[in-house]
Amino acid sequence: MLVLDSRDASASERVELVTTLMAETSAATVTLAPHADLHARMDLWQLGRLPLFRSESSGMAMSRDRRRARRDEAPIVALAVQERSTARHEQFGHQQTVAPGRLMLVDLTAPFAFSWATSGASRALQVPLDALGLPTEVIRDAAPRLDASPLAGLVGRHVVDLFDAADRLEAGEQAAAVGAASIDLVRALIASTHGDRVARPVHHETLLAQIHEYLRQRLRDPDLGADEIAAVHNISRRRLFELFARTGGSLEQTIIMRRLEAAHDELGRPGARHKAIATVAHECGFRDAAHFSRRFKDAFGVTPRDRRAGA
C-alpha cells in the first residue's frame, strides 16, 4: 500500500505534505533538510502480523521524545536494513552510524533519534513486542550488538529478500506463514546476541529459525539434505532430526512441503504463466516433474495445471 508519494503534491505544498504524513505515520517529530528536489515515498505491506515498511526521501531527521513514545497502544520494535545513504541512530545513550546493508534495531516505545543527510532509504520489519516473547531488557541490550551476531548476515539478506518479493508475498496465500517465520528469525537474531544468558527454549528456537531460513534460501538445490544442513549449523544429524521431531514433523517432509508451497505460489502468480510446469518444479528443487505433480496433488487436492488455471 502506498502511504506517501511527494509527487502527488505541487512543489509549494510538498514540504507540508511530507512532514505531516511522515509525522503521522511514525508518531515522531520530522524535519526535512533543504533540497533542490525535495522528495519522499513511503510504502507498507502486511504479512500476517508483520508490517513491512519502506521509506525513502531526501535528507531528513526524525525523533521521538518520551511523551510521544508513550502514545503507542501496541508496542513495536523495528528491525531495519539501511538501503541507501548512511544514517545516524541514537537510543538509550548509544549512538551508531548505519551504513547501507547494515542492520538497526529500534524500540519504538522509547525515545530515539534517526536521520540521514542526503537522499536515503530504509526497509524495516515492524515486529509486535508480544510476538517476540522476549523481555524488554533483552531486546534493548541487543540493539548495539547486532553486527556481532552470527545471524546478522543471514537476517539482513532475509529482510532484503522480503522487500524484493513484497508485492507477490502479500498477494499470496502463504503471507502469514512468511511473516511468522520472519518474526521467529528476528527473535533468533536478538537471542543470539546474549549467548548463554538466553534461556534454553529461546536457544532452541534460535537454531530452528536459523535452519528454516537456510532451507528457504536453498530450496532450489535438489541435493539439499541433512548432511549439508547439519554441517552448516555445526550440529550432528541426530540433533538436527531431534529439532524437527520436537515440532511434530520431520526434516524431509518440511523440505518437501516448503518446496510445494513455493511452487503453489509461483503457479498462482500472473507473471509466471509463461513458465512450463516442469520449469517451476525444477526451480523449486524437484528433479522429476511427474513426481512433483503427484506430490502437489496429494498436498493441495489439485494438479499443478489446475492450480494455474484457477489462479
Side-chain angles (χ1 to χ4, degrees):
M1 177 179 70
L2 178 64
V3 178
L4 162 68
D5 189 340
S6 60
R7 293 175 299 181
D8 293 337
S10 64
S12 60
E13 300 173 329
R14 195 164 294 170
V15 173
E16 182 178 357
L17 171 72
V18 171
T19 53
T20 299
L21 284 181
M22 288 184 75
E24 289 177 354
T25 303
S26 61
T29 300
V30 177
T31 57
L32 302 175
H35 196 279
D37 180 26
L38 187 146
H39 62 277
R41 181 184 172 98
M42 304 171 80
D43 294 274
L44 177 69
W45 298 264
Q46 191 76 34
L47 304 182
R49 291 195 67 194
L50 181 68
L52 275 59
F53 189 78
R54 182 180 183 275
S55 175
E56 65 172 309
S57 72
S58 47
M60 67 90 192
M62 180 183 298
S63 63
R64 213 187 249 197
D65 58 20
R66 193 171 302 279
R67 178 178 57 83
R68 281 182 174 270
R70 287 175 177 168
R71 292 180 183 176
D72 272 347
E73 297 181 0
I76 291 172
V77 61
L79 179 73
V81 172
Q82 189 67 13
E83 180 180 341
R84 191 172 67 248
S85 186
T86 296
R88 288 174 174 78
H89 172 234
E90 180 177 359
Q91 190 169 41
F92 307 124
H94 175 74
Q95 299 180 359
Q96 67 180 127
T97 299
V98 188
R102 284 188 60 188
L103 288 167
M104 178 184 69
L105 190 67
V106 185
D107 183 348
L108 297 181
T109 67
F112 70 86
F114 177 74
S115 64
W116 54 60
T118 59
S119 295
S122 178
R123 324 178 202 205
L125 312 184
Q126 298 185 338
V127 186
L129 283 175
D130 66 326
L132 285 175
L134 294 173
T136 302
E137 61 271 17
V138 169
I139 297 171
R140 291 180 176 181
D141 288 348
R145 300 200 297 269
L146 292 184
D147 283 346
S149 166
L151 301 182
L154 180 144
V155 175
R157 291 191 299 274
H158 178 78
V159 174
V160 172
D161 287 348
L162 279 182
F163 278 84
D164 286 346
D167 291 325
R168 179 158 53 94
L169 286 171
E170 191 175 40
E173 299 174 10
Q174 304 300 323
V178 173
S182 301
I183 292 173
D184 288 342
L185 199 59
V186 174
R187 183 189 304 112
L189 171 70
I190 293 171
S192 70
T193 66
H194 289 264
D196 294 338
R197 290 188 294 157
V198 177
R200 184 175 296 274
V202 177
H203 175 71
H204 169 84
E205 290 188 16
T206 297
L207 181 56
L208 196 57
Q210 186 177 1
I211 292 171
H212 275 293
E213 173 60 12
Y214 185 79
L215 296 184
R216 186 191 69 81
Q217 294 183 7
R218 298 279 290 150
L219 280 180
R220 290 172 176 262
D221 182 1
D223 294 321
L224 178 66
D227 289 339
E228 174 188 335
I229 297 166
V232 167
H233 295 89
N234 198 29
I235 58 176
S236 66
R237 284 170 53 96
R238 179 177 178 181
R239 170 69 169 147
L240 177 63
F241 293 141
E242 286 176 349
L243 284 170
F244 282 86
R246 289 183 185 182
T247 67
S250 72
L251 173 63
E252 180 184 9
Q253 290 305 313
T254 298
I255 292 174
I256 291 174
M257 198 61 212
R258 293 285 291 275
R259 285 173 170 161
L260 289 171
E261 289 170 350
H264 187 273
D265 283 352
E266 184 68 3
L267 288 168
R269 189 170 65 88
R273 287 187 173 275
H274 67 284
K275 289 184 181 179
I277 289 175
T279 300
V280 173
H282 179 73
E283 289 180 348
C284 294
F286 291 94
R287 283 195 175 93
D288 183 83
H291 171 71
F292 161 70
S293 294
R294 289 194 298 271
R295 295 303 297 257
F296 190 96
K297 186 173 183 180
D298 289 343
F300 303 113
V302 296
T303 66
R305 192 177 301 277
D306 289 340
R307 162 60 178 163
R308 168 170 283 170

